[in-house]
Amino acid sequence: MANEPGPMKKIVDKVMEVGAELTPAGRADIPGVPASMPPTVEEPVEPRAPLPAKPDQGVPTPLSATGRTDGPSRTVRAQDGAFLTTAQGARLPDSDHSLKAGPRGPVLLQDHHLREKVMHFDHERIPERVVHARGAAAHGVFRGYGTGAGVCKAAFLAKDVDTPVFVRFSTVLGSRGSADTVRDTRGFATKFYTSEGVFDLVGNNIPVFFIQDAIKFPDIIHAGKPHPDREIPQAQSAHDTFWDFVSLHTEATHHTLWNMSDRGIPRSFRTMEGFGVHTFRLASPTGATTLVKFHWKPKAGVHSLVWEEAQMISGMDPDFHRRDLADAIEAGAHPQWELGIQTFPDTPEQTFQGIDLLDPTKIVPEELAPVQPVGLLTLNANPTNFFAETEQVAFHVGHLVPGIDITDDALLAGRLFSYLDTQITRLGGPNFPQIPINRPHAPVNDMLRDGFHQDAVHTGVAPYKPNSLDGGCPFFAGAEDHAYIEHPVPVAPATKVREASASFHDHFSQARLFWLSMSPAEHEHIIAAYTFELGKCYEQAIKERTLLVLANIDPYLCTQVAQGLGLPTPQATEPLADVQPSPALSQVGRTWPTTGRVIGIVTDGTGDLGALDAVRRSVLATDMVPLIVAPTGGTLTGESAGPVTVQRSFATARSVEFDALLLAGVPGPAVDAWGGRDAKAGVPPLAAAPVDPRIVLMLQEAYRHAKPIGGWDGAETVLQAAGIAADALGVVTGSDGEAVLREVTALLGAHRVWDRFPAPAENGAV
């Protein structure tokens, strides 16, 4: 029932109970509270201990530098005590003034506090990641279903085993300061703190990669990054160097097509698939082996933005994805994914139904090898400190546990070198596993010594094997002791060469499979993406060369992009592949839970506030987020309900924040509805306007982005002002707000009102 309290409402209500004494409006009406306690207007002067963490925040498990739980300190907190001190613990009376020879005199060299403070500030930044620099992360837990235990002996996959995890999402090309909603591949990296050591599943939201061999990785990244002379464009592939490379290096075609699809602009990290990309080898408790591909399936479904939304959000809120993730966790709408595996016989050929499993530019369609769920990931706590956790977490595809082994994928082999090498530069030396967020939750006795940032105090005198002076410790483990043992894979006699298998030479069949698997609306989005990106290129030769690539995928795709560029359509240079579509690749045609969806409720505050508040509570009860949009901030008050907190004003709201819009009445022009104050209000005279022009703009945007719209209490007037028919697709009106909400929620199950994107009269794609 809509009025039964859901998890989100319970958590929000509880937090509001706690904060009710602190602020009249309730401190946690929506996520995003900056601190665990509200500030006072005056500067606090009474000494007190540091504030506690916010309820939504977690920290790395307090372990010693060698993974022990019985170290001298069970805390990883950086602060202690009520007073400001130096790094050595000396209390300070002042940190606003340098030590000077008189109030106007020169600064004295002996000011040790000034030197320490500025020195540390000068070294606050570490090199950002060359790729995946911009990221957001969260703590969570993984629970094994036990369904994978038959093919993999890894302890964390056993039934009902809970394993702490830390997950980092990221973009590939942009710097740390770039925007979230750019068109790009996203990283999906998961660190499992298992009882047998750390396992890192370092994947992407796209199951294939640009290249087949890691020796080409510097080339694709150099091509995608900003041009080295001007350092532009930032976080984009819409430029000459990228398209120059991928049009010449056609093994990139499949990944590029995914990137030009809606997959390149996800709605949220919470609605994004993840893939291990490579084929791995699993070993069962009996020693039998199976080849697998890893998949993360979001419980909320796979959803994306449309390109105009992504562009608007980049300017309006560059932190859109990281804010969405943190707010969802704080609100109790904990994101969840199922970990699934596609399994294949471990044959010497390492192929499956003609698909080379060692080629990272290929997928195995789910219709051929279903994804079998093996566990559930839940993200339930935000980081307490971004730098200490999200920025310093170090992933590595070579962090493996018993039961999971690598294959001979040439891209994977290079990654095994690259990740480890990167950490030495970024994190200041070889001891990065001792940083709290990276510490294993299993005992470590590695005989590795010294080096930069050695935090462990080692005992003993014999860090070598064999030894007798330390009693022979540490000892080697056997299989019965859960040792990590590589599977003894036979290596066939071969000649040392620099070349690839002939099976790697097919660059177009799977790109065509992906294209044929898309819906008409998704086809049009792909065409628009290619047209936009190539339209940003300067060199005509690069555009023409890319059209030659598209001709080998599909004639309709090539023709439409060529028309958008004003260029002739070339002929294919290879026969079009005869492939079967894979419906699982499309984001259209299924329904999904609406957990965590954001509903904008527009009102001018003059109607029945009791009914409005009932709708707001019904949204919360169904685990969605209601945001009240009113003429000004503050609260709405009336006889029929207590104060209703406003989260957005007409000036600050924009349609791209919401998954659906509800209109409670007819919001007339607010006092600031004029172009000189807010350009969104436009310039026409407003004296006779029945509706605030910014709400008209918001509705028009939401409608063309195919979002559900609902309304009551005269909402038809607002729709008419926006040029939207009250009986249009995905538009619901009525006299009862909660009934309208139920219909809008049902529409949200499909993410968008896809039929609002009309297909062209003739589509030769299939």
Side-chain angles (χ1 to χ4, degrees):
M1 295 292 292
N3 290 324
E4 293 178 357
M8 179 181 292
K9 182 181 185 303
K10 291 176 182 175
I11 290 173
V12 171
D13 286 352
K14 181 65 178 174
V15 177
M16 288 181 67
E17 263 179 44
V18 173
E21 298 176 2
L22 305 176
T23 94
R27 182 158 171 76
D29 200 28
I30 58 169
V33 177
S36 59
M37 297 278 289
T40 57
V41 176
E42 301 80 16
E43 179 183 356
V45 294
E46 190 69 26
R48 58 157 298 157
L51 292 176
K54 291 167 55 182
D56 64 291
Q57 292 177 329
V59 296
T61 299
L63 302 166
S64 77
T66 54
R68 295 180 62 90
T69 59
D70 58 351
S73 171
R74 293 300 307 275
T75 180
V76 294
R77 186 169 192 141
Q79 306 104 305
D80 196 17
F83 297 99
L84 179 67
T85 73
T86 67
Q88 308 306 316
R91 293 181 178 179
L92 291 165
D94 184 291
S95 190
D96 295 329
H97 306 93
S98 301
L99 190 65
K100 299 188 287 288
R104 297 176 59 80
V107 175
L108 300 180
L109 182 63
Q110 70 185 64
D111 190 347
H112 61 92
H113 173 47
L114 167 68
R115 285 186 289 140
E116 179 185 76
K117 184 177 180 180
V118 175
M119 176 276 296
H120 198 282
F121 171 77
D122 289 344
H123 295 83
E124 278 184 3
R125 295 294 174 264
I126 63 175
E128 69 175 29
R129 291 168 170 86
V130 177
V131 289
H132 299 279
R134 181 171 180 82
H139 297 273
V141 63
F142 177 84
R143 171 165 286 193
Y145 291 160
T147 52
V151 294
C152 183
K153 65 183 179 182
F156 77 97
L157 292 177
K159 184 174 176 57
D160 294 335
V161 170
D162 287 342
T163 301
V165 297
F166 190 70
V167 179
R168 185 177 187 270
F169 305 99
S170 55
T171 52
V172 170
L173 292 177
S175 68
R176 278 192 61 194
S178 58
D180 278 348
T181 59
V182 295
R183 184 180 293 281
D184 196 1
T185 306
R186 264 73 182 178
F188 192 135
T190 307
K191 186 175 290 291
F192 296 82
Y193 302 97
T194 87
S195 60
E196 300 173 304
V198 167
F199 169 53
D200 286 347
L201 182 53
V202 194
N204 289 331
N205 74 319
I206 292 176
V208 291
F209 209 64
F210 285 106
I211 54 176
Q212 297 166 329
D213 191 309
I215 200 168
K216 297 297 296 180
F217 192 72
D219 298 297
I220 180 58
I221 298 305
H222 288 165
K225 284 285 190 176
H227 292 203
D229 53 352
R230 298 187 178 189
E231 186 63 11
I232 55 174
Q234 175 62 243
Q236 294 182 50
S237 55
H239 55 90
D240 287 78
T241 58
F242 174 81
W243 289 100
D244 182 40
F245 177 82
V246 299
S247 62
L248 291 168
H249 200 68
T250 54
E251 69 190 48
T253 301
H254 191 195
H255 184 112
T256 304
L257 188 61
W258 276 76
N259 222 29
M260 293 302 106
S261 77
D262 291 344
R263 300 287 188 134
I265 42 175
R267 159 64 179 85
S268 161
F269 294 138
R270 299 181 290 121
T271 60
M272 191 175 80
E273 275 187 295
F275 303 91
V277 179
H278 308 287
T279 300
F280 292 83
R281 176 176 283 107
L282 302 186
S284 75
T286 63
T289 61
T290 306
L291 300 182
V292 301
K293 287 183 176 289
F294 289 107
H295 295 247
W296 289 113
K297 297 288 189 181
K299 297 288 279 185
V302 186
H303 309 301
S304 297
L305 300 168
V306 295
W307 181 229
E308 186 187 30
E309 278 184 294
Q311 292 175 299
M312 291 169 63
I313 293 169
S314 288
M316 187 195 77
D317 185 4
D319 306 307
F320 184 76
H321 282 156
R322 63 170 61 179
R323 189 188 313 281
D324 174 89
L325 177 68
D327 283 356
I329 292 171
E330 184 179 344
H334 295 153
Q336 292 185 315
W337 291 260
E338 279 192 314
L339 178 63
I341 55 174
Q342 285 180 300
T343 61
F344 320 102
D346 188 2
T347 62
E349 297 78 19
Q350 298 180 88
T351 63
F352 181 77
Q353 297 202 16
I355 300 169
D356 194 323
L357 297 176
L358 299 185
D359 183 351
T361 69
K362 304 290 195 301
I363 64 166
V364 177
E366 293 182 28
E367 291 78 10
L368 299 181
V371 177
Q372 306 165 52
V374 296
L376 180 67
L377 166 68
T378 303
L379 298 184
N380 55 21
N382 286 312
T384 296
N385 183 271
F386 185 92
F387 178 81
E389 299 167 76
T390 306
E391 192 62 20
Q392 289 197 124
V393 66
F395 295 98
H396 176 32
V397 291
H399 291 164
L400 301 164
V401 291
I404 303 178
D405 202 352
I406 61 170
T407 57
D408 294 332
D409 181 329
L411 177 62
L412 178 57
R415 293 179 74 194
L416 287 165
F417 169 81
S418 180
Y419 282 75
L420 201 60
D421 191 54
T422 289
Q423 313 309 343
I424 296 173
T425 297
R426 287 198 68 249
L427 300 175
N431 290 309
F432 63 86
Q434 296 181 17
I435 296 171
I437 194 63
N438 295 321
R439 291 179 182 177
H441 292 200
V444 175
N445 196 348
D446 54 19
M447 293 198 303
L448 305 176
R449 292 294 186 267
D450 307 336
F452 280 109
H453 309 301
Q454 175 58 260
D455 295 324
V457 180
H458 293 98
T459 60
V461 297
Y464 52 83
K465 288 286 292 178
N467 78 74
S468 63
L469 293 177
D470 282 348
C473 187
F475 298 92
F476 294 117
E480 67 279 4
D481 304 305
H482 300 277
Y484 183 85
I485 301 172
E486 289 84 358
H487 185 69
V489 181
V491 178
T495 304
K496 184 167 59 177
V497 294
R498 289 189 183 272
E499 59 185 59
S501 166
S503 60
F504 280 43
H505 296 165
D506 171 18
H507 298 166
F508 300 114
S509 67
Q510 288 217 330
R512 180 161 174 77
L513 182 152
F514 181 79
W515 169 259
L516 294 179
S517 302
M518 296 296 101
S519 67
E522 290 169 309
H523 280 155
E524 297 308 310
H525 293 170
I526 293 172
I527 291 166
Y530 271 104
T531 306
F532 176 89
E533 297 254 329
L534 292 168
K536 291 287 186 178
C537 293
Y538 181 86
E539 297 293 348
Q540 289 291 101
I542 292 173
K543 301 176 188 179
E544 293 173 8
R545 189 191 310 137
T546 304
L547 289 174
L548 285 169
V549 173
L550 298 184
N552 290 328
I553 300 174
D554 187 84
Y556 178 75
L557 168 64
C558 183
T559 299
Q560 297 302 306
V561 175
Q563 288 178 358
L565 299 174
L567 294 172
T569 303
Q571 296 298 310
T573 57
E574 297 186 12
L576 294 179
D578 181 14
V579 292
Q580 291 298 313
S582 170
L585 297 177
S586 174
Q587 297 184 43
V588 179
R590 285 167 285 178
T591 57
W592 304 94
T594 58
T595 301
R597 294 312 185 97
V598 181
I599 310 296
I601 307 175
V602 182
T603 178
D604 63 3
T606 61
D608 184 349
L609 282 190
L612 177 75
D613 194 47
V615 171
R616 186 186 73 85
R617 291 183 177 277
S618 292
V619 173
L620 279 172
T622 51
D623 286 337
M624 297 187 291
V625 178
L627 297 181
I628 301 297
V629 184
T632 67
T635 57
L636 305 175
T637 57
E639 296 180 359
S640 59
V644 175
T645 304
V646 175
Q647 285 86 35
R648 299 288 187 273
S649 69
F650 293 173
T652 61
R654 204 67 193 263
S655 67
V656 291
E657 295 183 84
F658 312 114
D659 294 293
L661 280 177
L662 298 178
L663 301 165
V666 184
V671 294
D672 61 349
W674 57 287
R677 179 77 55 84
D678 184 354
K680 296 193 300 297
V683 294
L686 300 172
V691 181
D692 191 293
R694 293 163 297 184
I695 302 305
V696 171
L697 176 63
M698 187 183 302
L699 282 170
Q700 291 169 338
E701 291 171 350
Y703 186 80
R704 69 173 178 264
H705 297 156
K707 295 178 179 178
I709 297 170
W712 61 94
D713 283 352
E716 293 85 354
T717 300
V718 190
L719 294 168
Q720 183 180 11
I724 300 170
D727 60 352
L729 286 169
V731 177
V732 181
T733 58
S735 58
D736 180 69
E738 293 193 70
V740 169
L741 171 63
R742 285 193 291 272
E743 289 192 54
V744 166
T745 302
L747 290 168
L748 268 178
H751 180 54
R752 296 189 191 276
V753 184
W754 290 101
D755 289 342
R756 230 186 262 162
F757 292 124
E762 293 185 11
N763 186 331
V766 294

